[in-house]
Amino acid sequence: MAEVVFDNVSKTFPGDVRAVDRVSLHIRDREFLVLVGPSGCGKTTSLRMIAGLEEPTAGTIRIGDRVVNDVAPKDRDIAMVFQNYALYPHMTVYKNLAFGLMMRRRHGGWGNPLFALLAPGRYRLARQERQEIEHRVRETATMLGLDGLLSRRPRALSGGERQRVALGRAIVREPKAFLFDEPLSNLDAKLRVEMRAELKQLHRRIQTTTVYVTHDQEEAMTLGDRVVVMKDGMIHQCGSPFEVYERPVNRFVAGFMGMPPMNFLDGRIVRRDDRLVFEDGVCRLSISPAHSHRLAGLVDEPIVLGIRPEVLRLASDAPPDSSLRVTVRVVEPLGDRMDVHGETAQGHTIVCRTDARTDIREDESIDLQVDMNRVHFFECQDPGRNLSLPVTGS
Ligand code: ATP
């Protein structure tokens, strides 16, 4: 087991494509770290650089106490699990699991009876090694519920079983770190949720440093001890799932993490009597004292208000200075809850997540009460810094 450290790492592909841009990151020993971001943000390239499949153009990568920039992939002692499983189709599950270990064995000749006579020492060591491999394979198979499938070939397995074999092949090697590249994206939604829970339990049991790449923010939040949100080759935020969701550092992170995404309204802050108010031309929302304190210097400045769908509540009795009037355009029932897409008088779409038993009809006009203590305010200019977070020393 080992920590993995990126120190100012960049990767530029021919054609001046900067896939990874000055990334510094400390992945702790035994941690489950998830790299998440939209397509092309550089997450796979980062993972491949840890594996040694891509070479950094600048900076250093360290695994444990060894800088690995010049170390061949096979000597890095890490295991990678891909989206497409990459199993050997002609081998049984047992052989797929054992193959990596067989390739690394130091003693040959176990299968040849002549060795028992001519080189009994070597024969004994080879047999012992073979028994160890068998023990590791069976132990891993039991851990993953594959005992009954060891003699099958991959084509006779379901998608979930194949993914378990791919996992098993990584685990059996007892590497210093696991690298996962979107390993669940070929599975159907239900199986993905099941495998997600299995992966989490597995990590708790084997406690190996894990770096996991996904574009799915829900997968990132449910799996990661920490989540790294990337865009354009750069890290925008690294923190616990709670931190990146509740305290996004900028508008990009706020909009990427969470489904349905955060609602954004363009407007400005104005002073009304002794209070600060957010106005967008139609609505007026009274800013809470905690936020007012941080926003006092931005009166009359344009600003973006961010409201998560769950921070809105249907309320006919809501005070006008904390509610938005919208016309219901779409109602999406989701079983226990419901997403209501409304349109403001300004023509902005606002999504509210509410109880499924609420009786709402399309084209109806409704009031949504905003919990103004839980909203965010962002700068208008890129990257849209979150102005409602407490200022920390840099
Ligand atoms: P996805 O989720 O679509 O796999 P990603 O976040 O993993 O995206 P990368 O695969 O790391 O992104 O790619 C980052 C950028 O580098 C993209 O613009 C991509 O087109 C580019 N890129 C990746 N590999 C190469 C390559 N071998 N040659 C040139 N450009 C590349």
Side-chain angles (χ1 to χ4, degrees):
M1 275 159 277
E3 59 182 16
V4 178
V5 180
F6 278 58
D7 187 7
N8 222 6
V9 172
S10 295
K11 173 70 187 179
T12 309
F13 286 108
D16 211 21
V17 181
R18 187 157 262 228
V20 174
D21 196 1
R22 290 160 293 167
V23 162
S24 288
L25 177 65
H26 182 170
I27 303 162
R28 300 169 191 143
D29 186 21
R30 297 158 198 259
E31 179 174 31
F32 198 128
L33 183 117
V34 182
L35 301 178
V36 68
S39 184
C41 71
K43 44 197 192 300
T44 297
T45 305
S46 303
L47 199 74
R48 287 171 62 82
M49 285 195 286
I50 303 175
L53 302 173
E54 298 289 356
E55 217 178 298
T57 344
T60 53
I61 297 180
R62 183 161 62 72
I63 300 176
D65 47 17
R66 185 161 69 141
V67 172
V68 293
N69 288 44
D70 296 322
V71 177
K74 67 177 177 44
D75 299 325
R76 293 191 183 199
D77 198 9
I78 49 178
M80 192 152 172
V81 180
F82 299 92
Q83 176 180 354
N84 60 5
Y85 321 131
L87 301 178
Y88 301 111
H90 58 289
M91 290 186 192
T92 61
V93 169
Y94 183 94
K95 284 199 173 148
N96 263 287
L97 292 176
F99 186 73
L101 299 177
M102 301 289 270
M103 293 307 284
R104 286 199 307 193
R105 75 191 155 159
R106 284 155 300 156
H107 310 284
W110 177 83
N112 187 342
L114 268 182
F115 273 91
L117 294 170
L118 299 174
R122 184 165 152 194
Y123 178 79
R124 216 174 24 253
L125 283 172
R127 193 178 54 178
Q128 210 175 335
E129 203 170 43
R130 181 120 182 166
Q131 282 165 347
E132 275 164 25
I133 290 174
E134 175 155 1
H135 176 71
R136 292 240 303 259
V137 168
R138 293 202 178 276
E139 196 177 49
T140 306
T142 303
M143 195 191 294
L144 294 167
L146 293 169
D147 305 80
L149 306 173
L150 287 171
S151 56
R152 286 209 207 157
R153 288 187 210 285
R155 69 167 179 275
L157 301 174
S158 71
E161 288 162 348
R162 278 181 217 170
Q163 191 50 270
R164 258 187 232 126
V165 178
L167 268 177
R169 210 170 45 174
I171 292 168
V172 80
R173 289 175 44 199
E174 298 179 350
K176 281 196 184 133
F178 289 124
L179 308 178
F180 289 99
D181 191 3
E182 307 239 10
L184 308 184
S185 48
N186 279 350
L187 307 178
D188 67 49
K190 186 165 176 286
L191 198 52
R192 219 162 47 219
V193 172
E194 279 171 28
M195 285 298 291
R196 213 161 66 188
E198 281 186 29
L199 266 178
K200 209 164 169 164
Q201 281 176 15
L202 201 65
H203 178 258
R204 205 171 299 145
R205 210 168 334 149
I206 56 183
Q207 297 267 305
T208 302
T209 312
T210 299
V211 189
Y212 188 104
V213 160
T214 180
H215 61 272
D216 179 343
Q217 54 83 35
E218 188 179 300
E219 206 165 282
M221 301 264 281
T222 50
L223 280 171
D225 294 325
R226 280 189 306 158
V227 175
V228 171
V229 189
M230 294 184 73
K231 185 182 169 222
D232 298 335
M234 285 187 267
I235 294 180
H236 278 241
Q237 187 165 5
C238 172
S240 67
F242 180 80
E243 275 166 348
V244 293
Y245 188 79
E246 284 292 325
R247 296 195 286 274
V249 293
N250 59 35
R251 185 175 165 170
F252 165 69
V253 176
F256 190 79
M257 303 304 288
M259 193 50 69
M262 185 182 275
N263 300 291
F264 295 110
L265 287 177
D266 294 317
R268 62 179 60 241
I269 294 176
V270 293
R271 195 177 287 282
R272 295 264 170 247
D273 307 324
D274 57 344
R275 295 172 309 143
L276 293 189
V277 173
F278 171 86
E279 286 191 358
D280 79 343
V282 178
C283 79
R284 275 189 190 171
L285 298 167
S286 193
I287 297 175
S288 71
H291 285 317
S292 297
H293 178 66
R294 288 189 194 109
L295 302 172
L298 297 166
V299 173
D300 292 332
E301 297 284 332
I303 203 156
V304 178
L305 173 66
I307 312 170
R308 291 231 181 258
E310 67 274 18
V311 164
L312 291 161
R313 188 176 71 87
L314 266 108
S316 50
D317 55 347
D321 68 349
S322 67
S323 69
L324 294 169
R325 174 148 295 186
V326 297
T327 307
V328 177
R329 294 295 177 217
V330 179
V331 177
E332 289 180 336
L334 296 161
D336 62 328
R337 62 219 139 84
M338 183 161 89
D339 287 345
V340 179
H341 297 239
E343 190 181 322
T344 66
Q346 292 280 53
H348 293 122
T349 299
I350 296 281
V351 181
C352 159
R353 178 153 281 190
T354 185
D355 195 297
R357 286 159 297 187
T358 320
D359 185 23
I360 299 180
R361 261 163 265 119
E362 279 152 21
D363 297 328
E364 189 180 340
S365 189
I366 55 168
D367 287 324
L368 299 173
Q369 182 165 10
V370 187
D371 182 345
M372 289 301 286
N373 287 310
R374 293 179 63 197
V375 298
H376 298 265
F377 292 90
F378 301 95
E379 264 177 358
C380 286
Q381 306 88 336
D382 260 0
R385 195 162 52 94
N386 188 344
L387 302 166
S388 32
L389 296 180
V391 179
T392 51
S394 57

